Amino acid sequence: MKVVIPAAGQGVRFLPVTKSMPKEMLPVVDRPVIQYVVEEAAAAGADDVLIVTGRTKRAIEDHFDTSPELSHLAGVPALEALEALAGRVRLHYIRQRAPLGLADAVAYAERHVGPEPFGVLLGDTIHRCEPPLLEQLRARFEELGGRSSVLAIETVPDEKLGDYGIVDGPEVRPGVVEVQRLVEKPTPSEAPSRLGITGAYYLTPGIFDAIRATPPGRDGQVQLTDALGRLARTEKVYGVTFRGTRYDIGDRFLWLRANVELGVRDSEVGDRLRVYLERRET
Ligand code: G1P
């Protein structure tokens, strides 16, 4: 399976950190977010991952390269795990030439993925799922006939509607919505439902024609949500709920929360962090 990871967003909400550093390299507990995302792709069976980068994103490529200056540390578990990961998946990089939106970034993958369906995982969202989320999405894709794009969705609180693509349509089987309406980052009154796109997709190559036909939308950018709306006119598109947890690290609070939630589960610092948090509460 090929997986595309768009990682070209500017990270405005993390300035000044992201002035010279990719937001995808922000650490969550012990490793950068992008490493979690590549791990999720590998866990779902991806053997080929294309990361769409852009200006100020070179650290992502360096992260997955072998590092001669650290060769004396070969065998250190943290580095060994990363080496093993980079050995399991073939990583490719392509640069988005200008920040023209998520759909534009995905369009850069067209030649690379060819005529097969492919996975998309956003470079700033961690999904911890069992089975791995893309495996769940691909299973749904097969179950629904093997010709329709599938998006991961979850219910979002009212105050977060404006942060996500929101979908709506009839529930055609438990946990599966046939998507008929999509709105990118609606106000609560514009929102067709409370079902938000979490940032994981299993798409047919039909998405590329749909992206080409999609004019710039919100923020003057070509939105993947709008392209999916267009795709839904010619092919079925399904939103599916999944087993597992999504950690959006798109803003400072969510990033801090992901560190706490994943931190308390960490084998090295989890116990101390839990004790610290309990003491703070009293
Ligand atoms: C993007 C998508 C949005 C989706 C979200 C998930 O927005 O445009 O539809 O719900 O990711 O995190 P962004 O977070 O890049 O603003």
Side-chain angles (χ1 to χ4, degrees):
M1 168 171 50
K2 286 184 179 165
V3 171
V4 177
I5 302 180
Q10 290 173 298
V12 176
R13 281 172 284 190
F14 285 99
L15 283 169
V17 180
T18 47
K19 188 160 173 273
S20 64
M21 181 191 127
K23 65 173 168 178
E24 295 78 10
M25 288 299 292
L26 284 168
V28 172
V29 187
D30 62 347
R31 52 201 195 277
V33 176
I34 190 81
Q35 186 176 334
Y36 287 87
V37 181
V38 174
E39 285 167 0
E40 284 157 38
D47 52 2
D48 183 300
V49 170
L50 174 68
I51 303 183
V52 185
T53 68
R55 275 174 54 73
T56 74
K57 302 285 181 167
R58 283 196 196 142
I60 295 175
E61 294 173 50
D62 292 343
H63 183 70
F64 291 104
D65 277 357
T66 53
S67 166
E69 52 281 20
L70 294 179
S71 57
H72 63 291
L73 294 177
V76 168
L79 288 179
E80 225 171 32
L82 181 56
E83 268 303 298
L85 176 64
R88 270 167 74 194
V89 291
R90 166 74 74 164
L91 286 161
H92 305 264
Y93 303 92
I94 190 164
R95 282 170 71 106
Q96 187 185 26
R97 292 189 63 235
L100 297 178
L102 181 57
D104 180 71
V106 171
Y108 276 76
E110 183 170 15
R111 286 215 197 158
H112 187 81
V113 301
E116 302 294 325
F118 62 101
V120 174
L121 292 175
L122 300 189
D124 63 359
T125 300
I126 297 171
H127 291 93
R128 302 308 290 280
C129 303
E130 198 46 53
L133 182 53
L134 277 180
E135 203 178 302
Q136 295 186 40
L137 295 188
R138 197 163 51 163
R140 285 293 203 187
F141 171 86
E142 300 297 346
E143 192 186 303
L144 291 160
R147 289 198 309 267
S148 312
S149 296
V150 171
L151 337 168
I153 54 170
E154 70 178 14
T155 303
V156 299
D158 286 350
E159 68 275 13
K160 301 297 282 174
L161 291 169
D163 291 342
Y164 299 114
I166 305 296
V167 307
D168 196 24
E171 190 171 23
V172 290
R173 57 179 80 177
V176 180
V177 168
E178 187 185 319
V179 175
Q180 289 172 354
R181 288 197 298 158
L182 299 94
V183 187
E184 178 67 4
K185 305 196 171 92
T187 61
S189 62
E190 291 164 346
S193 79
R194 292 175 65 207
L195 298 173
I197 301 173
T198 70
Y201 312 75
Y202 195 69
L203 301 176
T204 64
I207 192 66
F208 297 115
D209 279 337
I211 292 172
R212 261 186 290 279
T214 303
R218 206 191 147 90
D219 302 329
Q221 302 208 324
V222 185
Q223 300 292 345
L224 187 57
T225 301
D226 296 342
L228 287 162
R230 196 161 277 264
L231 184 65
R233 296 187 204 163
T234 52
E235 296 177 9
K236 286 197 192 307
V237 172
Y238 294 101
V240 304
T241 56
F242 57 93
R243 262 170 294 145
T245 308
R246 178 267 297 261
Y247 301 92
D248 181 355
I249 59 115
D251 69 31
R252 287 182 207 182
F253 171 75
L254 294 170
W255 170 70
L256 288 168
R257 192 172 75 179
N259 273 283
V260 172
E261 288 188 12
L262 291 168
V264 295
R265 282 188 213 129
D266 182 71
S267 59
E268 220 174 291
V269 298
D271 290 344
R272 275 159 63 202
L273 183 58
R274 224 172 295 123
V275 169
Y276 170 76
L277 292 169
E278 279 159 15
R279 283 209 189 123
R280 304 256 329 159
E281 269 169 25
T282 55

